Amino acid sequence: MDRRKFLTYMGCGCCGLFLNSCSTAPITDRKQLNIIPEAKLNAQAAQIYEKIKEKEKLSKDTKTLNEIKDIGKKMEDSISEYFFQSNLPDPTNNFDWEYILIENKKVKNAWCMQVVKLQFIPVF
């Protein structure tokens, strides 16, 4: 087999793999490439999230945590309002949101996890 045929076959084979891996994101309807199944990613994210909650010291700064919860609530309301105004079913309807704040002087981070579908969403 000559080089040109080999590259043609490899290119077509790779394109076939990529096209089969393409899907639509559930909320945004944008196209995305799924090399690893979403269910596996969600399960891994949930495990990591639970380990972090166990391992890291949670902040007792209620003022900052309440600010994070307020921001999260605004995001939740905005998403629901978007789907309502677009006359679309709201995929976040049954989400059980949890907001935590980690006590870490090196890293400032807040975590938000949607428990129903186990999607991990970091909030920075």
Side-chain angles (χ1 to χ4, degrees):
M1 179 184 307
D2 68 0
R3 183 175 181 210
R4 183 171 292 215
K5 265 190 180 176
F6 174 76
L7 291 175
T8 301
Y9 291 143
M10 285 299 294
C12 290
C14 290
C15 286
L17 288 174
F18 283 121
L19 290 176
N20 286 334
S21 299
C22 287
S23 67
T24 302
I27 294 178
T28 61
D29 284 335
R30 68 175 170 75
K31 296 292 183 192
Q32 62 184 9
L33 177 65
N34 287 338
I35 296 172
I36 300 173
E38 188 174 345
K40 184 174 182 177
L41 285 175
N42 291 340
Q44 289 174 344
Q47 288 175 342
I48 292 168
Y49 178 73
E50 290 302 322
K51 283 181 185 176
I52 287 174
K53 284 191 338 185
E54 292 171 8
K55 182 181 172 186
E56 296 290 333
K57 182 180 177 188
L58 299 181
S59 175
K60 297 188 189 295
D61 182 358
T62 55
K63 181 181 181 243
T64 304
L65 183 57
N66 286 335
E67 288 175 6
I68 290 168
K69 287 180 179 180
D70 288 342
I71 292 167
K73 181 67 175 142
K74 289 176 184 175
M75 289 183 347
E76 292 174 45
D77 294 342
S78 296
I79 291 168
S80 294
E81 183 64 25
Y82 167 79
F83 284 105
F84 176 75
Q85 288 185 8
S86 300
N87 205 19
L88 297 169
D90 184 356
T92 65
N93 231 4
N94 296 320
F95 284 7
D96 184 19
W97 295 97
E98 179 180 4
Y99 301 91
I100 64 171
L101 181 61
I102 296 171
E103 182 80 30
N104 188 329
K105 293 187 190 303
K106 293 181 183 176
V107 178
K108 298 266 185 191
N109 198 358
W111 293 75
C112 170
M113 175 114 180
Q114 182 278 107
V115 180
V116 175
K117 288 188 178 178
L118 298 177
Q119 288 179 336
F120 170 74
I121 302 171
V123 178
F124 298 100

